[in-house]
Amino acid sequence: MGSGMNELDLVVRAKRVITTAGEVARAVGVRDGRIVALEPLDADLPAARVVDLTGDEALLPGLVDTHVHVNEPGRTEWEGFATATRAAAAGGITTLVDMPLNSVPPTVDTPSLEVKRKTAEGQCHIDVGFWGGAVPGNTAELRGLHDAGVFGFKCFLLHSGVDEFPPLDAAGVEAALRELGTFDGLLIVHAEDSDAIDHAPTAHGEHYHDFLASRPRGAENVAIAQVIELARWTGTRVHILHLSSSDALPLIASARRDGVRVTAETCPHYLSFCAEEIPDGATQFKCCPPIREAGNRELLWQGLAEGVIDCVVSDHSPCTVDLKRFDIGDFGVAWGGIASVQLGLPAIWTQARPRGHSLSDVVRWMAERPAELAGLRHKGRIALGYDADFCVFAPDEAFVVDTARLHHRNPVTPYAGRPLAGMVRSTWLRGTEITGDQPIGRLLERGAA
């Protein structure tokens, strides 16, 4: 290959490149933000910039996190586009899809989507897309949001935690699914049954087991079964968010065998922590559905290994420090949400490696499959024609989580003080290294991404 017009913008050489063909030594060539060459490590590839990774570094595709609550506008003191995307980039994530709540207004019609896009413009260090919301009374808005480029629609089956994003009942879910079926839309569901929660003990006090009793597995299992049946009747695509009950895995597997179009995700906190180890008053661990017992965690890992669970995403749902109520340590009144967007990759690698999983497995769960879920056709893989989004990862380096080194807005996370394996050394978006000095992310639309 000659110089001039044929010169590449960037070549990255690494002995460990995680590709769709597995882990291989490669020289990866980039032009105009896309991967245009995958050659042997010593191939002659003239480029304006050549980066040689060290022997302890692996080149991963940039991760794709399809479950992030950025909260801006309206609750920007909880988080915001600048801080969330900076934290994501520091964790090797190059694309996130923002949830339609807890921002004000929620993303439930095209004007609110436009407000969110205008707010995000010029603030994002990585690429950002948006989910829409399905709430009572907005069925007629769904097609317009779809045409405006949202990646799908989120609904709750019980109170969402914020009054401006109310839940759907069974009839509402069916109506939304029938509308989405007219344009092959995707419904993503917070699946906990409101009646089951209403009949459970009330969350109160500082003991985690009392909070756990207030969000029983049965509430998840019943809700997931209902969503599966509605998807079976309508033929519409559904996705189960943040699965925490391993009891539901056979339901999902059985439905898939029957041809129901259902997928599922789980989160690093369900795969890392267990209820037995959560201290009294440690409300940084509170999330809904909750972190369950150690035996449940191992079955989630099995479901992930068997492919019943498709992907692992953060459900980054931060808040201000005061809302976690560390002053009283009461799980009943503290905000429920885990802040972790920067830590997902090392958190999962720490747990995956001793269970016999490879970096290729982690990339499938955290890059390839989330991109496929959202329909991001040029993200999540190191392959020809894909965006040159990279994570340079040192899998053998360890560190202890220091909240002062995290970039999300409020220094609260259940990972604080926890030793983790694997360090993100650098993150690249379309062939440009993300430094945090200048936001270089784009706002993505479904179908164009």
Side-chain angles (χ1 to χ4, degrees), residues 352-398:
R353 182 161 59 176
R355 289 175 172 85
H357 296 294
S358 66
L359 283 177
S360 293
D361 294 329
V362 173
V363 162
R364 184 172 67 255
W365 303 328
M366 303 188 77
E368 186 176 317
R369 291 296 288 127
E372 290 174 359
L373 169 75
L376 291 157
R377 294 172 298 167
H378 303 292
K379 302 288 189 183
R381 299 180 185 216
I382 296 178
L384 294 177
Y386 278 68
D387 286 357
D389 298 348
F390 304 131
C391 167
V392 177
F393 187 59
D396 297 323
E397 185 174 351

Side-chain angles (χ1 to χ4, degrees), residues 62 222 289 370:
V222 168

Side-chain angles (χ1 to χ4, degrees), residues 202-253:
T202 304
H204 65 280
E206 65 176 9
H207 299 310
Y208 184 78
H209 61 77
D210 291 330
F211 168 64
L212 186 60
S214 76
R215 314 290 290 216
R217 294 186 195 202
E220 258 189 290
N221 304 336
V222 168
I224 290 169
Q226 182 181 58
V227 169
I228 285 171
E229 291 315 300
L230 289 167
R232 192 191 307 273
W233 303 345
T234 61
T236 309
R237 292 186 295 146
V238 296
H239 177 71
I240 305 300
L241 297 166
H242 45 50
L243 179 69
S244 84
S245 171
S246 62
D247 297 349
L249 292 169
L251 297 176
I252 296 167

Side-chain angles (χ1 to χ4, degrees), residues 58-63 91-92 94 345 389-393 424 426-428:
L59 188 69
L60 280 55
L63 304 187
T94 50
L345 176 56
D389 298 348
F390 304 131
C391 167
V392 177
F393 187 59
V424 175
S426 63
T427 305
W428 299 67

Side-chain angles (χ1 to χ4, degrees), residues 11-29:
V11 168
V12 182
R13 299 181 189 275
K15 292 179 179 175
R16 302 179 67 185
V17 180
I18 309 302
T19 71
T20 52
E23 186 175 310
V24 290
R26 285 290 182 270
V28 183

Side-chain angles (χ1 to χ4, degrees), residues 75 78 101-102 156 158-165 335:
R75 292 191 175 92
W78 293 19
L101 73 163
N102 303 302
F156 278 75
L158 77 173
H159 193 279
S160 68
V162 293
D163 291 337
E164 68 273 5
F165 198 94
W335 173 258

Side-chain angles (χ1 to χ4, degrees), residues 334-350:
W335 173 258
I338 300 283
S340 65
V341 70
Q342 187 171 332
L343 298 170
L345 176 56
I348 288 299
W349 181 236
T350 298

